[in-house]
Amino acid sequence: MSSITFVIGATASGKSFYINEMFSQEDVDILNAYDYQQRAYDEAGYEDAIPISVQKKCVMKANSMLLEDILRDVKAGKKVVVEQTFYKAKRRIAYIDEIRKCGDVTIDVHVMCPDDDRWKMNIQKRGLDDRFEYYKAIEAEIEFPNPSEGFDNIFAVKNGKPVLRMDDPKPEIVDIARKELQKEAEMIKAEDARREEKEKLIESMKKRPFWHYCEVCGKKEYITAEQAYMSGWDYPPHIGMFGVLSPRTCGNCSDMDTLWAKFIAKDESNCFTTSELNESERKTLQRIKGEPESLLTEDAWDL
Ligand SMILES: [Zn+2]
């Protein structure tokens, strides 16, 4: 019969060391969520400075790749140990629901609960000295697993020793978790649909006429991107990108009189407070931020 052991806990709480001590002698497949996240980031093409929205997608992708491997092992009757963070009951329930569908399997979880001194030592060893309070705050967010989530055995690991801790069942958390997961799935679907719409709109801007506003002389024309380009306009999509600050000028005005020029001249701080802008510059900024939608109708954007 297959078995899965999740080892969960905050950063530097000793998960890897514990897994090595407890399970490396057995014939087990050890999977680490961190490796899957790294792979997802690599595939997305980011090494560092990953935007939050991409991070979220990568973590989701990593979780689903990890789940696939767990299911593969379960179907093959193997023993698996999984290092995960898994702070929230709903994340664990989503996994357990899928794993239980795959057949007869024992699912255990070991929760790292190091005392502060040992934890501080681990953090020091990793050169993360100043982060103890931060990790401690994160630990407070871990929802301790409950038997109702579907675990066979739940252990609290105190300084390297697993102690069985089966709290009173709370069946209501399962319903709450499923509802939250459902809501999340709907939000992701809506977000994807919005992004798809936006991409379609941006694509359509190559062909459709839209409002071109010269931020310097105030000239405006309802023309296509091609017509604008031919008559000398500096305007996305040919020059610059929608939604990103760069000159928006007709063929007769200079880039050096634009909001963009004012922005790059401010080399020390490179940021503005809106009080430094006049009415017309504020409108330009707002219009650029709202592109390309802000260029479809003339109304409120007239200078
Ligand atoms: Zn102009």
Side-chain angles (χ1 to χ4, degrees):
M1 188 169 102
S2 178
S3 74
I4 301 177
T5 304
F6 289 100
V7 176
I8 69 173
T11 304
S13 57
K15 297 188 287 294
S16 302
F17 183 78
Y18 179 71
I19 289 172
N20 200 34
E21 289 283 295
M22 293 289 289
F23 304 102
S24 65
Q25 312 306 321
E26 299 176 36
D27 180 23
V28 290
D29 198 5
I30 297 174
L31 307 174
N32 187 339
Y34 179 77
D35 297 336
Y36 288 81
Q37 280 174 23
Q38 274 312 113
R39 210 197 313 160
Y41 290 144
D42 291 347
E43 283 173 13
Y46 290 90
E47 278 165 23
D48 43 32
I50 306 159
I52 299 269
S53 60
V54 177
Q55 260 183 47
K56 228 164 114 185
K57 285 253 161 198
C58 284
V59 170
M60 281 171 54
K61 175 97 187 292
N63 281 345
S64 92
M65 290 192 295
L66 173 57
L67 181 59
E68 262 175 48
D69 285 356
I70 292 173
L71 298 181
R72 178 203 61 205
D73 281 355
V74 170
K75 282 176 192 157
K78 284 191 186 172
K79 288 184 175 179
V80 198
V81 175
V82 183
E83 179 172 341
Q84 252 289 13
T85 36
F86 265 168
Y87 297 162
K88 300 283 172 199
K90 63 181 174 186
R91 302 271 164 256
R92 302 187 290 257
I93 287 169
Y95 260 51
I96 291 173
D97 279 353
E98 293 304 313
I99 294 165
R100 291 277 179 218
K101 285 182 200 161
C102 278
D104 213 4
V105 53
T106 306
I107 308 178
D108 292 352
V109 61
H110 294 229
V111 186
M112 303 307 291
C113 308
D115 64 35
D116 285 0
D117 289 342
R118 181 183 272 237
W119 198 8
K120 270 183 191 162
M121 222 163 66
N122 288 348
I123 289 171
Q124 219 170 13
K125 269 192 216 155
R126 291 213 201 164
L128 303 166
D129 304 37
D130 53 336
R131 314 224 61 191
F132 179 68
E133 294 305 326
Y134 173 72
Y135 292 141
K136 193 80 189 154
I138 290 179
E139 192 200 28
E141 284 178 31
I142 299 178
E143 296 167 356
F144 195 87
N146 186 273
S148 294
E149 294 173 28
F151 288 112
D152 293 303
N153 299 291
I154 299 167
F155 298 93
V157 179
K158 288 269 178 197
N159 297 330
K161 300 270 178 303
V163 179
L164 190 69
R165 174 182 154 183
M166 301 295 274
D167 293 347
D168 291 338
K170 283 192 208 156
E172 69 278 7
I173 61 171
V174 180
D175 265 354
I176 296 169
R178 294 220 171 95
K179 274 186 195 136
E180 280 180 22
L181 289 166
Q182 173 78 17
K183 219 161 123 191
E184 265 180 23
E186 281 161 14
M187 270 167 65
I188 289 166
K189 215 170 142 191
E191 214 174 277
D192 286 348
R194 259 198 311 275
R195 193 171 34 250
E196 206 175 298
E197 274 305 300
K198 182 98 179 182
E199 280 165 12
K200 265 193 218 158
L201 176 62
I202 287 176
E203 187 57 31
S204 77
M205 300 302 277
K206 292 179 186 166
K207 299 271 182 225
R208 74 197 293 168
F210 61 91
W211 284 101
H212 291 66
Y213 295 88
C214 176
E215 58 176 296
V216 181
C217 69
K219 180 179 174 179
K220 57 180 187 176
E221 279 190 294
Y222 189 70
I223 49 177
T224 64
E226 198 55 34
Q227 288 166 331
Y229 183 69
M230 296 310 283
S231 54
W233 282 85
D234 270 4
Y235 231 87
H238 279 294
I239 316 268
M241 273 173 73
F242 290 120
V244 178
L245 183 65
S246 66
R248 304 287 190 267
T249 52
C250 73
N252 299 321
C253 290
S254 162
D255 287 354
M256 296 324 291
D257 299 323
T258 61
L259 187 58
W260 166 81
K262 190 170 179 176
F263 179 80
I264 57 164
K266 266 188 82 95
D267 52 358
E268 309 121 43
S269 65
N270 269 346
C271 65
F272 276 120
T273 60
T274 38
S275 61
E276 290 175 69
L277 304 178
N278 63 34
E279 180 68 6
S280 148
E281 287 168 336
R282 263 202 288 274
K283 275 189 177 174
T284 297
L285 185 64
Q286 243 181 312
R287 191 193 300 119
I288 291 173
K289 273 162 77 179
E291 287 175 351
E293 290 86 342
S294 59
L295 307 175
L296 300 179
T297 48
E298 184 183 10
D299 302 335
W301 303 101
D302 205 353
L303 284 172

